[in-house]
Amino acid sequence: MRRAIELAGKRLEITPTEYEIRAALAEYRARLGDSHGALAEIDRIPVTSRQALANRIAAAYELTGNRTKAIELILQTLTNPASPTQIRDDPDLAALWADPVFQQALKH
């Protein structure tokens, strides 16, 4: 994973607006316990571009202990009927899926 971070960083030197790479970096950093780095990568992604990257960003939020932000982001993407299924099937989001606050929000 560290090699992936290194390669992604080099790619971003050339194309800094590849937000898919930033979302992947956020998730990788979160998996390695670098909460500060993960959240910094998310902050570099414009809010308007985050819905398309919601699964990776939500996973990064969840892995960094920011469940509230993960829930907020996912609820914004629920206009896509595939979103709940993708979230339910993502092992990194299993605890979020089981969260009573999230389940209550899905009912609305």
Side-chain angles (χ1 to χ4, degrees), residues 1-9 25 28-29 32-34:
M1 202 164 307
R2 293 190 191 284
R3 179 76 172 137
I5 289 172
E6 179 184 330
L7 293 172
L25 269 175
Y28 299 157
R29 291 184 189 285
L32 292 174
D34 179 9

Side-chain angles (χ1 to χ4, degrees), residues 26-27 29-31 33-39 42 57-67 69:
E27 183 180 348
R29 291 184 189 285
R31 288 183 185 285
D34 179 9
S35 295
H36 178 74
L39 297 174
I42 293 170
I57 294 172
Y61 278 142
E62 179 71 5
L63 292 166
T64 59
N66 289 284
R67 179 167 290 167
K69 288 190 175 205

